[in-house]
């Protein structure tokens, strides 16, 4: 549908990028919330993209003003400019053996996932949230000031993170789990409440799978 808009913007013009962007944003696949509830819709976020997304969401910065990220592939299976071939880190038609392959759908990003990488990636995010990434003046730390102001009310905090990280699409079940976990942290430790909430949310299947 988007390719058709590129070929013809409706007025016989080819290559109208305004028409292409409009076709993307107004396509039913992007607008219908019911699609997000389809268990076969969406894709797994690449771990490197998840890492950058978290930095952007919480304004991650280092005192040096630089982003010194190295050997990210050791934790995530990916790193900038480290693709093993010109065809990216995974094949576009890869299907994880088992339920995914049996359903006849592809899961390209899961080709670089393993039991080890899943754990290492989760540990990477925990270190980023609780201690930062890197060291000395190049240590990248996240800004949780906005979230700490809401930490006194676990429900309000999780609803805020739902809007920031999920676009308001967080399920009731996951919301309830995180609110309960945050409430188990003493109110006198607002930063720990925020860290708990962020860590649980960004390592949840609902965040890993982008709808």
């Amino acid at each position: 549908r988007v390719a058709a808009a590129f070929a013809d913007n409706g007025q016989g013009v080819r290559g109208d990028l305004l028409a292409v962007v409009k076709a993307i944003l107004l396509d039913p696949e992007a607008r219908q919330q019911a699609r997000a509830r389809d268990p076969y819709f969406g894709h797994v976020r690449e771990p490197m993209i998840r890492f950058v997304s978290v930095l952007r969401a919480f304004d991650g910065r280092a005192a040096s003003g630089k982003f010194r990220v190295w050997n990210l592939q050791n934790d995530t299976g990916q790193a900038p400019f480290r693709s093993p071939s010109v065809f990216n880190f995974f094949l576009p038609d890869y299907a994880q053996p088992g339920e995914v392959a049996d359903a006849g759908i592809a899961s390209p990003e899961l080709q670089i996932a393993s039991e080890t990488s899943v754990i290492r990636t989760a540990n990477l995010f925990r270190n980023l949230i609780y201690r930062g990434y890197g060291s000395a003046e190049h240590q990248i730390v996240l800004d949780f000031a906005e979230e700490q102001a809401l930490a006194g009310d676990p429900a309000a905090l999780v609803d805020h993170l739902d809007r920031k990280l999920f676009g308001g699409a967080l399920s009731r079940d996951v919301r309830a789990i995180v609110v309960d976990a945050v409430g188990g942290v003493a109110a006198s430790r607002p930063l720990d409440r925020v860290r708990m909430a962020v860590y649980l949310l960004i390592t949840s299947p609902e965040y890993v799978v982008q709808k």
Side-chain angles (χ1 to χ4, degrees), residues 29 35 41 45-47 68 71 79 89 98 113 122 139 142-143 163 166 169 171 192 195 198 201:
E29 191 170 308
R35 293 298 300 273
F41 181 71
R45 297 179 194 252
E46 299 174 52
R68 295 191 64 179
N71 294 333
F89 294 90
Q139 185 182 41
L142 304 180
D143 182 359
R163 292 188 294 272
F166 299 83
S171 71
D192 284 337
R195 287 168 169 166
V198 173
L201 289 171

Coordinates of all heavy atoms in Angstrom, one line a residue, residues 29 35 41 45-47 68 71 79 89 98 113 122 139 142-143 163 166 169 171 192 195 198 201:
E29 N -2.9 -0.6 9.4 CA -2.0 -1.3 10.2 C -1.5 -0.5 11.3 O -1.1 -1.0 12.4 CB -0.9 -1.9 9.4 CG -0.1 -3.0 10.1 CD 0.9 -3.7 9.2 OE1 0.4 -4.2 8.2 OE2 2.1 -3.8 9.5
R35 N -5.4 -4.3 16.0 CA -4.3 -5.1 15.5 C -3.3 -5.4 16.6 O -2.6 -6.4 16.5 CB -3.6 -4.3 14.3 CG -4.4 -4.1 13.1 CD -4.8 -5.4 12.4 NE -3.6 -6.2 12.0 CZ -3.0 -6.1 10.9 NH1 -3.5 -5.2 10.0 NH2 -2.0 -6.8 10.5
F41 N 0.8 -10.3 15.4 CA 1.1 -8.9 14.9 C 2.3 -8.4 15.7 O 2.4 -8.6 16.9 CB -0.1 -8.0 15.0 CG 0.2 -6.6 14.5 CD1 0.3 -6.4 13.1 CD2 0.3 -5.5 15.3 CE1 0.6 -5.1 12.6 CE2 0.6 -4.3 14.8 CZ 0.7 -4.1 13.4
R45 N 11.8 -6.3 19.1 CA 12.7 -5.2 19.0 C 14.1 -5.7 19.1 O 14.5 -6.5 19.9 CB 12.5 -4.2 20.2 CG 11.2 -3.5 20.3 CD 11.3 -2.6 21.5 NE 10.0 -2.1 21.9 CZ 9.6 -0.8 21.8 NH1 10.4 0.1 21.2 NH2 8.4 -0.4 22.2
E46 N 14.9 -5.2 18.2 CA 16.4 -5.6 18.2 C 16.9 -5.1 19.5 O 16.6 -4.0 20.0 CB 17.1 -5.0 17.0 CG 16.6 -5.5 15.7 CD 17.3 -4.7 14.6 OE1 18.5 -4.7 14.5 OE2 16.6 -4.2 13.7
P47 N 17.8 -5.8 20.2 CA 18.3 -5.4 21.5 C 19.1 -4.1 21.4 O 19.0 -3.3 22.4 CB 19.2 -6.6 21.9 CG 19.5 -7.4 20.7 CD 18.2 -7.2 19.8
R68 N 30.2 6.7 24.7 CA 31.2 5.7 24.4 C 30.6 4.3 24.7 O 30.5 3.8 25.8 CB 32.5 5.9 25.3 CG 33.2 7.2 25.0 CD 34.5 7.3 25.7 NE 35.4 6.2 25.3 CZ 36.7 6.1 25.7 NH1 37.2 6.9 26.6 NH2 37.4 5.1 25.3
N71 N 31.8 -2.9 22.4 CA 31.5 -4.3 22.6 C 30.1 -4.6 23.0 O 29.9 -5.6 23.8 CB 32.5 -4.9 23.6 CG 34.0 -4.9 23.1 OD1 34.2 -4.9 21.9 ND2 34.9 -4.8 24.0
A79 N 26.0 -4.7 17.7 CA 26.7 -3.5 18.0 C 26.7 -2.6 16.7 O 26.7 -3.2 15.6 CB 28.1 -3.7 18.5
F89 N 22.2 -8.5 10.8 CA 22.5 -9.4 11.8 C 21.7 -10.7 11.7 O 22.1 -11.7 12.4 CB 22.3 -8.8 13.2 CG 23.2 -7.7 13.5 CD1 22.8 -6.4 13.2 CD2 24.4 -7.9 14.1 CE1 23.7 -5.3 13.5 CE2 25.3 -6.8 14.4 CZ 24.9 -5.5 14.1
G98 N 9.6 -24.2 16.4 CA 8.6 -24.4 17.4 C 7.3 -23.7 17.0 O 6.9 -23.7 15.8
A113 N 18.9 -14.3 19.2 CA 18.6 -14.5 20.6 C 19.0 -15.9 21.0 O 18.8 -16.8 20.3 CB 17.1 -14.3 20.8
A122 N 19.4 -8.6 29.7 CA 18.6 -8.1 30.9 C 19.6 -7.6 32.0 O 19.3 -6.5 32.6 CB 17.9 -9.3 31.5
Q139 N 30.6 7.8 31.8 CA 29.6 7.0 32.3 C 28.2 7.6 31.9 O 27.9 8.8 32.2 CB 29.6 6.9 33.8 CG 28.6 5.9 34.4 CD 28.6 5.9 35.9 OE1 28.8 6.9 36.5 NE2 28.5 4.7 36.4
L142 N 21.0 7.7 33.4 CA 19.6 8.1 33.0 C 19.1 9.1 34.0 O 19.4 9.1 35.2 CB 18.8 6.8 33.0 CG 19.2 5.6 32.2 CD1 18.3 4.5 32.3 CD2 19.4 6.1 30.7
D143 N 18.2 9.9 33.5 CA 17.6 11.0 34.3 C 16.2 10.6 34.7 O 15.3 10.5 33.8 CB 17.5 12.3 33.4 CG 16.9 13.5 34.2 OD1 16.5 13.3 35.4 OD2 16.8 14.6 33.6
R163 N 2.6 5.5 29.4 CA 2.5 6.5 28.3 C 3.9 6.7 27.6 O 4.0 6.8 26.4 CB 2.0 7.8 28.9 CG 0.5 7.7 29.3 CD 0.0 9.1 29.6 NE 0.6 9.7 30.8 CZ 0.2 9.5 32.1 NH1 -0.9 8.7 32.3 NH2 0.8 10.1 33.1
F166 N 5.1 2.7 26.3 CA 4.2 1.9 25.6 C 3.1 2.6 24.8 O 2.2 2.0 24.2 CB 3.5 0.9 26.6 CG 4.4 0.0 27.3 CD1 5.1 0.4 28.5 CD2 4.6 -1.3 26.9 CE1 5.9 -0.4 29.2 CE2 5.5 -2.2 27.6 CZ 6.2 -1.7 28.7
A169 N -0.4 1.5 25.9 CA -0.9 0.1 25.5 C -0.5 -1.0 26.5 O -0.8 -2.1 26.2 CB -0.4 -0.2 24.2
S171 N -0.8 -3.7 29.2 CA -1.9 -4.6 29.6 C -2.2 -4.4 31.1 O -1.3 -4.0 31.9 CB -1.6 -6.0 29.3 OG -0.7 -6.6 30.2
D192 N 14.7 4.1 44.1 CA 14.6 2.6 43.9 C 13.3 2.2 43.4 O 13.2 1.2 42.7 CB 14.9 2.0 45.3 CG 16.4 2.0 45.6 OD1 17.2 2.1 44.7 OD2 16.7 1.9 46.8
R195 N 13.5 2.8 39.7 CA 14.4 1.8 39.0 C 13.7 0.5 38.9 O 13.8 -0.2 37.9 CB 15.7 1.7 39.8 CG 16.6 2.9 39.7 CD 17.7 2.8 40.7 NE 18.8 3.8 40.5 CZ 19.7 4.1 41.3 NH1 19.7 3.6 42.6 NH2 20.6 5.0 41.0
V198 N 11.0 0.7 36.1 CA 11.6 0.8 34.7 C 12.2 -0.5 34.3 O 12.0 -1.0 33.2 CB 12.6 1.9 34.7 CG1 13.4 1.9 33.3 CG2 12.0 3.3 34.9
L201 N 9.5 -3.1 33.5 CA 8.8 -2.8 32.2 C 9.6 -3.0 31.0 O 9.1 -3.6 30.0 CB 8.3 -1.3 32.3 CG 7.1 -1.1 33.3 CD1 6.8 0.4 33.4 CD2 5.9 -1.8 32.8

